Amino acid sequence: MANRTRLVKESEGDIPIELEALFAAYLQKDSDEESWNVNGATSANFLNALDITGASKKLKPVILTTGAKQYGVHLGCPKQPMEESDRWIEGEGRPSNFYYHQKRILSKKAKKSN
């Protein structure tokens, strides 16, 4: 990171600046619904702050870190191997999964921002 900062300072605008963002905040709550609400709001607020500061205009990748709940390990034995392309475990009779909520927020923001 220090090398990137030095390079940007020395370039005097000769190169386009691109930012990368890693979002890994998580708040454990007593219920799935509370986790959905607070973690969704946290990620939405993070993305909104990037807009307010102007950083979103220079943003390229945003990495959303998820855990094993993404694959449903909290519901029992998941399929093996677990892969990012696996279908989401949601719908009637399933608890809400805040990771899916966060991914939808990020996807909506990306489409809006191009």
Side-chain angles (χ1 to χ4, degrees), residues 10 12 20 26 36-37 41 46 50 78 81 89 98 100 108 112:
E10 292 173 358
E12 297 180 15
E20 300 169 357
Y26 166 71
W36 171 282
N37 290 334
F46 171 74
L50 294 175
I89 304 168
F98 69 87
Y100 304 157
K108 182 177 177 183
K112 182 179 176 185

Side-chain angles (χ1 to χ4, degrees), residues 86-106:
D86 290 347
R87 289 181 49 167
W88 289 358
I89 304 168
E90 61 183 345
E92 192 172 328
R94 298 288 187 172
S96 57
N97 188 321
F98 69 87
Y99 290 133
Y100 304 157
H101 186 39
Q102 288 179 315
K103 285 187 169 191
R104 285 186 177 110
I105 290 167
L106 181 57

